[in-house]
Amino acid sequence: MSKQYETVIGLEVHVELATKTKIFCGCSTAFGAGPNTQTCPVCTGMPGSLPVLNKQVLEYAIAVGLATNCDITRYAKFDRKNYFYPDNPQNYQISQLYLPICRNGGVEIETEEGGVKTVGIHEIHMEEDAGKLIHDEWEDCSLVDYNRSGVPLIEIVSEPDMRSAEEVIAYLEKLRLIIQYLGASDCKLQEGSMRADVNLSVREAGASEFGVRTEMKNLNSFKAISRAIAGEMERQIDLIESGEQVVQETRRWDDARGESYAMRSKEDAQDYRYFPDPDLVPVRVSDEMLAEIRARQPEFRNDKMKRYKEEFAIPDYDIEIITQSKHMADLFEEAVALGAEPKKVSNWLMGETLRLMKEKEVEAEDLRFSPEHLVKLIGLTDAKAINSSVAKEVFEVMFEENVDPEQYVEEKGLKTVNDEGALRKAVEEVIAQNPQSVADYRGGKEKAIGFLVGQTMKVMKGKADPGAVNRMLKELL
Ligand code: ADP
Ligand code: MG
Ligand code: ZN
């Protein structure tokens, strides 16, 4: 490569909102129901049916806008975006073009060099999701499921402010965290509740104009996004280097093959014949409504980190990790509120929880054990009712099935045996059966006792307190 290039990236992020019902009708948004069981004349586009805006959608959109430093539009409107596709029964999507609910925002991300940079948000608008086409069921036709038709979305359109895959991921993580803290969506890329389209162009370093961009769809993980960015950057640079031109188009990234292919030439707003939806009244956002939503905003990560530092004696590293997930922060705070020692709760989160999350590929938002059960487990260990290896064993079952640890320990007979006589018997047996180790220990090899402790634990089927075993061994040796 002879010249230096700069990559310019802007994102369009769609987020499915966590409302119980759809954006313009009362149908359920619950996931996984039988095909077309959650539909009505409105969300299947029947003539004569009328949409009514779900207030919760507006409130979530405003809350996200406030949290991302946007101006909230006080007089917003819905527009029809016209296009034909079988997953879109009305032949138009209700969206917002002229007066979107939020504008001119931005979020701060940390750059690789350790600095802070603002990624601008051009606008956030409300719109409806489309249905789902199922192509592989039968060979000669496609099926359509309208359960998703009319599920509320917000689309967050960034400015072309990002310059690398790392910045893109940092921006997406920031957005996801804000939205999860708000409870406005679970933002799962794999399941499609958060979807990012990547607009990318390259230009010679120092150039003042942007290059021609492409838009990539079908990116359902951070890894796929990073790979797609690397692949598209290279493709565009190769084109320019060989004297060809980048064509403005929509491309689909095939993550398995590691390459993208053209889907369609990019359409402009005028191709969609946008016009104001005559069935929906404009939205007026009053001062009261805005004040109410503002007052309900949760404590976001930065404030939470500050408060944790003041309130809890736990390391900064733990605070970083815990506050990276709303669910984990809630777990932590609830367990502490139930009386557990903060450091002990944090130890379970930083240790076994993170280990099992990695091993079983579970995300923090999907942790299933309750704070009550974690507190009970800590209580059992504190009272020496179970030893630490049994506690880990119980925790793993809690992690999988949220069992009540007290009940589980009782049922499985995992309680530490505190019977002096039984322990003495076991130790005597081990001493008798391991003359070599006993001789080593007596001859000054302190370490030999570890083996004898282990053997005794085995005889006790793990249900002894290692400290007590140690003491008993020393006494009898
Ligand atoms: P459209 O409405 O045609 O999709 P927009 O102007 O709304 O186009 O931009 C869509 C997204 O593309 C935005 O996130 C924007 O930041 C990004 N974008 C626009 N121009 C460029 C460019 N030259 N290079 C990279 N991204 C761009
Ligand atoms: Mg667009
Ligand atoms: Zn409906």
Side-chain angles (χ1 to χ4, degrees):
M1 201 191 334
S2 49
K3 296 177 189 134
Q4 285 284 314
Y5 291 91
E6 180 184 48
T7 312
V8 174
I9 305 167
L11 296 189
E12 292 160 286
V13 177
H14 286 91
V15 174
E16 259 179 22
L17 297 176
T19 56
K20 292 206 167 61
T21 55
K22 295 184 179 180
I23 182 169
F24 298 121
C25 63
C27 292
S28 168
T29 56
F31 188 77
N36 297 304
T37 54
Q38 291 166 349
T39 55
C40 73
V42 173
C43 56
T44 49
M46 296 297 165
S49 63
L50 284 174
V52 178
L53 177 63
N54 179 340
K55 191 175 172 208
Q56 179 75 62
V57 173
L58 178 64
E59 292 182 353
Y60 276 147
I62 293 173
V64 174
L66 289 174
T68 52
N69 310 301
C70 290
D71 299 331
I72 308 302
T73 309
R74 299 307 200 86
Y75 183 74
K77 281 184 179 174
F78 285 98
D79 304 296
R80 290 186 180 179
K81 178 179 182 180
N82 298 283
Y83 67 95
F84 171 77
Y85 203 65
D87 65 3
N88 167 26
Q90 298 155 146
N91 283 351
Y92 57 83
Q93 178 194 29
I94 305 178
S95 180
Q96 299 192 283
L97 180 73
Y98 302 107
L99 292 168
I101 187 69
C102 311
R103 274 178 169 155
N104 299 328
V107 295
E108 287 187 342
I109 57 166
E110 277 163 34
T111 59
E112 274 181 293
E113 301 80 44
V116 173
K117 134 171 203 179
T118 301
V119 175
I121 290 177
H122 184 77
E123 65 174 78
I124 301 177
H125 57 256
M126 299 175 277
E127 60 186 28
E128 54 181 344
D129 209 344
K132 226 179 199 158
L133 289 177
I134 299 144
H135 299 295
D136 48 7
E137 203 95 334
W138 296 332
E139 277 181 10
D140 56 349
C141 65
S142 290
L143 304 174
V144 64
D145 177 3
Y146 288 122
N147 283 354
R148 205 181 60 185
S149 167
V151 165
L153 299 175
I154 49 173
E155 179 175 343
I156 305 165
V157 183
S158 86
E159 299 293 351
D161 287 343
M162 287 157 276
R163 295 290 176 270
S164 66
E166 289 73 26
E167 289 186 6
V168 167
I169 305 300
Y171 168 74
L172 285 170
E173 280 179 339
K174 188 71 187 253
L175 276 188
R176 183 171 67 168
L177 199 57
I178 288 171
I179 296 168
Q180 284 173 345
Y181 264 73
L182 283 167
S185 173
D186 58 11
C187 291
K188 291 189 176 163
L189 275 90
Q190 253 86 4
E191 293 175 16
S193 58
M194 186 181 207
R195 317 197 271 263
D197 299 339
V198 174
N199 295 271
L200 184 150
S201 63
V202 299
R203 63 177 170 184
E204 263 182 61
S208 55
E209 303 278 311
F210 287 143
V212 176
R213 74 176 194 269
T214 59
E215 178 177 3
M216 277 184 294
K217 292 187 183 286
N218 194 34
L219 305 165
N220 60 8
S221 70
F222 286 153
K223 280 192 190 128
I225 291 171
S226 292
R227 284 191 286 259
I229 289 172
E232 183 60 11
M233 230 169 78
E234 207 182 293
R235 192 188 69 87
Q236 291 189 13
I237 292 173
D238 283 349
L239 280 174
I240 295 168
E241 291 272 292
S242 59
E244 288 171 70
Q245 258 161 14
V246 176
V247 180
Q248 183 168 333
E249 64 193 357
T250 301
R251 301 180 67 85
R252 179 178 285 272
W253 173 253
D254 184 334
D255 200 42
R257 287 172 47 198
E259 55 188 49
S260 66
Y261 52 92
M263 268 168 80
R264 55 171 190 255
S265 67
K266 174 86 184 134
E267 52 294 275
D268 285 321
Q270 70 243 28
D271 297 333
Y272 289 115
R273 300 281 172 221
Y274 276 97
F275 66 89
D277 193 306
D279 287 342
L280 282 156
V281 291
V283 175
R284 273 188 196 282
V285 180
S286 65
D287 291 346
E288 293 74 37
M289 183 177 187
L290 207 51
E292 262 172 48
I293 296 171
R294 200 168 260 134
R296 278 206 305 265
Q297 292 291 79
E299 175 187 48
F300 288 107
R301 187 173 181 221
N302 285 351
D303 290 334
K304 208 182 263 300
M305 284 173 56
K306 236 180 261 159
R307 181 168 62 82
Y308 279 20
K309 277 181 202 188
E310 285 161 16
E311 278 181 26
F312 308 120
I314 59 172
D316 288 356
Y317 175 77
D318 296 23
I319 294 176
E320 290 255 333
I321 305 271
I322 291 172
T323 57
Q324 242 164 42
S325 144
K326 169 72 160 56
H327 183 70
M328 203 184 265
D330 286 347
L331 254 175
F332 173 78
E333 288 181 41
E334 281 164 37
V336 171
L338 288 167
E341 205 182 297
K343 185 67 185 115
K344 285 184 177 158
V345 176
S346 167
N347 283 348
W348 276 107
L349 296 176
M350 294 303 101
E352 286 303 282
T353 305
L354 290 186
R355 185 182 72 76
L356 289 168
M357 276 167 61
K358 199 164 173 209
E359 184 185 305
K360 299 179 192 295
E361 295 185 357
V362 172
E363 288 200 33
E365 296 307 304
D366 298 327
L367 289 172
R368 273 192 274 171
F369 62 87
S370 66
E372 289 79 12
H373 290 164
L374 181 58
V375 173
K376 280 188 180 181
L377 185 69
I378 292 172
L380 286 168
T381 357
D382 282 353
K384 294 213 173 346
I386 54 174
N387 63 41
S388 67
S389 58
V390 170
K392 282 183 186 167
E393 191 185 314
V394 174
F395 182 76
E396 186 155 350
V397 189
M398 261 170 64
F399 185 93
E400 296 272 8
E401 303 163 37
N402 190 25
V403 291
D404 180 327
E406 285 173 0
Q407 216 175 319
Y408 185 80
V409 162
E410 199 60 53
E411 275 169 22
K412 302 274 167 181
L414 295 171
K415 271 224 169 95
T416 299
V417 178
N418 283 318
D419 176 347
E420 278 270 318
L423 185 57
R424 179 177 294 269
K425 218 178 125 235
V427 169
E428 281 169 355
E429 191 184 318
V430 167
I431 288 176
Q433 281 167 3
N434 297 280
Q436 185 59 51
S437 299
V438 170
D440 287 350
Y441 179 73
R442 289 192 172 133
K445 264 201 193 167
E446 290 274 331
K447 276 188 186 155
I449 202 160
F451 175 74
L452 296 170
V453 170
Q455 289 305 106
T456 312
M457 291 300 288
K458 228 182 208 168
V459 173
M460 298 292 291
K461 299 201 169 66
K463 293 181 287 183
D465 169 20
V469 172
N470 208 303
R471 279 192 299 278
M472 179 70 77
L473 269 164
K474 285 190 172 155
E475 189 190 317
L476 298 183
L477 282 169

